[in-house]
Amino acid sequence: MKKTKKIVAHKRPFHVMIIPTLGCPSSCSYCWSSDERSPIMTIETVKEMVHWLREFRDDPVTFTFHGGEPLLAGADFYREALALITEGLRPRKIAFALQTNLWKMTPEMASVLAEYQIPIGSSIDGPKDLNDLQRSAGYFDKTMAGYRVAKEHGLSVQFICTFTSTSIDKKEEIFNFFLENGLTMKLHPALPSLKSDDPDKWALPPEKYGELLVYLLDKYLENMDKIEVRNINDLCRCVFTGRGTVCTYVDCMDDTFAVGPDGSIYPCYRFVGMPEWVMGNIRDRPSQADLAGSGAGRRMQEFKRRVDVACKGCRHLRYCRGGCPYNAIAPSGGELLGVDPHCVAYKRIFDEIADRFNKEIFGSFPMGPTCLPTEPPRGGKPGITALIQKIVSS
């Protein structure tokens, strides 16, 4: 009797963002998430979250501590919370990450995080003077002091750089800062702030963001052996694989949630603190269907429908998915009226990558074993296929 091979279905991981507080000791000019009155999450809330997740779904899960400034919760909080989550959700696969400005990174805190080898994301907008203009006086020195403590304890730290309407004119200086200091670069465009009296002051126009991405693509190709630009990697991977690979370019609904300081559940950390976007509370043990059926859940589904109509016919739809829902509400004061306004930028860089790739792949130079060209195009500079080769082999 012929044996049939058993097919094992791999469970799809999901993402839970834990927001211990919306409070933050910094006062970045373009920030939309800081709230000095925000309480700090209690360990009891962490216990409730673990109980909820045991029943919610048994897939692998990544936890990202975000804020506000998550390190305000203190070393004792993380010592206990990390153990509770790890032990309480065993045997499923668990991963952790943390986003912080590093001001509260002490040797004790670093030791707790190092025990779990938690990768850290932080924020630096470029050289000290420019950074402190946007992020507040003293920010640079405090963040770099915390960075040194983290590195001394073996923690991996990467920086996000926010480009604004002011710093866009300093793009070469900013790129060189990351290059010369051996820092991985990841960038965000400043959005209109939903918590500011002048929401557009720092916002980076989509057209300029698109040109910035093309500029960084060229700079990256010139310096591939010296720096990594995470956004360009992700964008190239989208085009090459035909699917989104980071949250901005995937259908994040149903697989991403954020838990606020009081246990309220939101679609993403960016919505935390906005009552109209609460999907439920961990203490009520909501199911996936309960969250999807909430008012906020239905609005997220409406975003998907808008994308299918507004982006119909776009060559990049399957791996862009209309961008980020939060970005879509930022320019309209919180109302969902369209798709991500950075669509202009996404289309600009996706077109650039796709057109260059098609031009190079159908050129006359020899192909390697991955069907990617093995030699640079004429002119000596590495082409887009050289970068894709680096990405797929890493």
Side-chain angles (χ1 to χ4, degrees):
M1 182 176 178
K2 187 178 179 181
K3 292 183 178 180
T4 58
K5 187 177 180 180
K6 185 178 180 180
I7 299 175
V8 179
H10 293 283
K11 292 182 177 179
R12 182 177 179 181
F14 69 109
H15 188 192
V16 176
M17 298 170 156
I18 302 175
I19 315 301
T21 180
L22 285 176
C24 182
S26 179
S27 55
C28 299
S29 301
Y30 48 77
C31 184
W32 40 262
S33 66
S34 181
D35 182 353
E36 295 178 357
R37 301 164 297 173
S38 177
I40 293 177
M41 182 179 287
T42 66
I43 287 298
E44 288 304 313
T45 300
V46 177
K47 291 178 181 177
E48 292 282 357
M49 181 182 65
V50 170
H51 290 314
W52 167 56
L53 291 174
R54 278 187 198 146
E55 303 169 7
F56 183 62
R57 52 196 278 189
D58 60 358
D59 308 314
V61 55
T62 296
F63 292 94
T64 299
F65 293 93
H66 215 297
E69 174 44 59
L71 295 189
L72 286 174
D76 288 341
F77 171 86
Y78 284 95
R79 186 179 289 111
E80 194 167 352
L82 292 168
L84 281 168
I85 294 169
T86 303
E87 296 299 323
L89 297 179
R90 205 179 289 279
R92 77 177 73 183
K93 185 177 180 181
I94 291 173
F96 293 107
L98 186 143
Q99 182 70 31
T100 168
N101 63 22
L102 293 169
W103 291 16
K104 299 295 182 180
M105 182 60 72
T106 63
E108 180 186 12
M109 180 73 77
S111 295
V112 173
L113 300 177
E115 182 179 346
Y116 294 84
Q117 284 300 298
I118 296 178
I120 292 173
S122 191
S123 299
I124 284 288
D125 289 352
K128 180 177 177 178
D129 289 349
L130 176 60
N131 177 86
D132 287 4
L133 172 67
Q134 297 190 161
R135 288 191 169 269
S136 73
Y139 185 108
F140 185 94
D141 289 340
K142 292 175 185 176
T143 293
M144 296 312 291
Y147 173 66
R148 289 189 289 272
V149 173
K151 296 297 287 182
E152 287 166 2
H153 286 77
L155 291 167
S156 170
V157 181
Q158 296 187 352
F159 289 99
I160 293 172
C161 174
T162 299
F163 278 85
T164 69
S165 56
T166 296
S167 66
I168 186 64
D169 295 329
K170 304 283 187 179
K171 60 181 182 291
E172 183 174 6
E173 183 180 348
I174 293 170
F175 179 83
N176 288 338
F177 167 81
F178 279 83
L179 179 66
E180 292 163 5
N181 286 279
L183 301 175
T184 296
M185 188 179 195
K186 184 177 180 181
L187 59 138
H188 280 173
L191 295 164
S193 173
L194 292 177
K195 299 183 179 181
S196 170
D197 294 331
D198 189 6
D200 295 315
K201 179 179 180 181
W202 297 92
L204 182 64
E207 293 80 7
K208 288 192 174 183
Y209 182 38
E211 293 306 315
L212 171 65
L213 289 170
V214 174
Y215 169 82
L216 290 174
L217 171 62
D218 287 329
K219 296 297 290 185
Y220 191 12
L221 292 175
E222 293 171 8
N223 298 277
M224 271 197 300
D225 58 337
K226 302 173 186 174
I227 192 172
E228 180 181 6
V229 184
R230 293 282 301 278
N231 302 64
I232 302 301
N233 284 355
D234 294 330
L235 292 161
C236 287
R237 194 177 289 111
C238 284
V239 174
F240 185 66
T241 64
R243 60 183 179 85
T245 57
V246 292
C247 68
T248 304
Y249 312 114
V250 296
D251 179 358
C252 61
M253 293 74 161
D254 302 328
D255 285 315
T256 297
F257 304 98
V259 178
D262 65 350
S264 293
I265 303 168
Y266 301 81
C268 174
Y269 81 98
R270 289 178 159 188
F271 296 96
V272 175
M274 302 169 67
E276 64 273 27
W277 288 95
V278 172
M279 305 175 80
N281 193 288
I282 56 175
R283 292 173 179 82
D284 299 323
R285 311 285 195 270
S287 67
Q288 190 97 39
D290 292 333
L291 297 181
S294 67
R298 291 195 300 272
R299 285 196 294 277
M300 293 295 280
Q301 294 301 320
E302 174 61 25
F303 175 77
K304 291 172 64 172
R305 289 189 286 272
R306 285 181 180 273
V307 168
D308 288 336
V309 173
C311 303
K312 185 178 181 181
C314 177
R315 67 194 285 207
H316 310 297
L317 175 59
R318 61 180 174 150
Y319 50 79
C320 175
R321 291 305 307 160
C324 172
Y326 179 86
N327 289 1
I329 73 168
S332 58
E335 291 187 64
L336 189 57
L337 302 178
V339 301
D340 187 336
H342 285 120
C343 170
V344 174
Y346 306 149
K347 190 173 189 303
R348 176 74 177 89
I349 187 62
F350 280 136
D351 279 346
E352 189 75 20
I353 293 169
D355 291 347
R356 290 192 195 190
F357 179 73
N358 288 332
K359 184 176 181 180
E360 291 173 23
I361 203 70
F362 296 115
S364 59
F365 40 94
M367 298 292 182
T370 59
C371 295
L372 296 176
T374 59
E375 297 176 6
R378 292 174 184 174
K381 287 198 306 182
I384 196 73
T385 48
L387 178 55
I388 292 176
Q389 178 77 65
K390 174 185 174 181
I391 294 168
V392 298
S393 62
S394 62

